[in-house]
Amino acid sequence: MIDPLKRINKDEIMTLIEQKKYFVLHAPRQTGKTSSLLALQNDINNNRKYKCLYINIETAQTARSDVARGMKAILSALNRASFLTFKDDFFEEYLLDGIDRFGGDDVLNQVLSLWSLHSDKKTILLIDEIDALIGDTFISVLRQLRAGYTGRPDTFPQSVLLCGVRDVRD
């Protein structure tokens, strides 16, 4: 098996993270994107400088233009990933009532801001299968990430990587 961190240019990615950039990684199916992201998450967390979380948001695809339903699926992915990675239930509270408190069009922005504020390290978010999202849910995720961008690195993730088969900048 090829080392997953050798499939990506880790030095370039770490430079982008240090520069507080949001960026896209895209490649054809079955090329090792997910394996590389999981290895990158572990490598970053083992370095102990950042708190890095990988999430797969493919389950939100069926929400299509139902933003609240899509955000609920994304909050669920955040909750599950955070618990499995850090044994941390930080996102659970927002899974239960985040949509009611902040609304579908701002819940991701709010929750990522609170996560960053709560963390003792700068946060990094790796979002896999971003191109699985459709319609208003996709637009809402991108808009909420953009809205939080100016708060980085103290009140929003320092860096966000969007991964998929398609280049979502298009």
Side-chain angles (χ1 to χ4, degrees):
M1 181 175 158
I2 298 172
D3 179 353
L5 288 177
K6 298 223 187 285
R7 295 179 184 167
I8 57 175
N9 187 335
K10 182 185 154 202
D11 291 337
E12 183 179 356
I13 288 174
M14 293 311 298
T15 297
L16 291 169
I17 288 171
E18 291 290 331
Q19 294 173 346
K20 304 176 186 87
K21 300 288 184 178
Y22 286 20
F23 55 101
V24 174
L25 171 67
H26 63 94
R29 295 198 185 288
Q30 301 297 309
T31 56
K33 295 181 302 296
T34 298
S35 297
S36 295
L37 290 180
L38 289 168
L40 180 63
Q41 172 192 245
N42 291 337
D43 188 68
I44 290 171
N45 286 330
N46 287 339
N47 187 335
R48 303 194 192 306
K49 183 176 179 181
Y50 300 108
K51 186 171 192 175
C52 182
L53 186 62
Y54 163 90
I55 62 168
N56 181 316
I57 61 172
E58 189 170 16
T59 57
Q61 181 182 36
T62 60
R64 299 190 179 274
S65 289
D66 185 343
V67 175
R69 190 170 145 225
M71 290 303 138
K72 185 92 167 171
I74 292 168
L75 290 174
S76 178
L78 281 165
N79 184 52
R80 181 177 51 259
S82 183
F83 184 76
L84 293 173
T85 305
F86 305 116
K87 305 302 181 249
D88 180 349
D89 63 354
F90 175 80
F91 293 102
E92 187 172 16
E93 172 186 349
Y94 305 105
L95 177 61
L96 301 174
D97 72 350
I99 303 291
D100 293 336
R101 285 170 64 182
F102 305 119
D105 290 317
D106 198 39
V107 69
L108 184 61
N109 183 356
Q110 292 286 342
V111 168
L112 291 177
S113 291
L114 292 167
W115 178 53
S116 296
L117 284 165
H118 178 265
S119 178
D120 58 344
K121 300 174 190 163
K122 304 300 183 206
T123 56
I124 310 297
L125 184 61
L126 310 176
I127 303 176
D128 201 0
E129 302 291 347
I130 186 70
D131 56 343
L133 299 182
I134 298 169
D136 290 341
T137 300
F138 176 65
I139 292 167
S140 183
V141 167
L142 294 180
R143 293 291 180 210
Q144 290 183 64
L145 291 174
R146 183 175 177 153
Y149 184 80
T150 57
R152 73 199 198 301
D154 296 320
T155 62
F156 209 73
Q158 172 163 323
S159 194
V160 176
L161 184 154
L162 302 176
C163 183
V165 173
R166 292 182 294 122
D167 183 351
V168 294
R169 292 174 297 183
D170 295 339

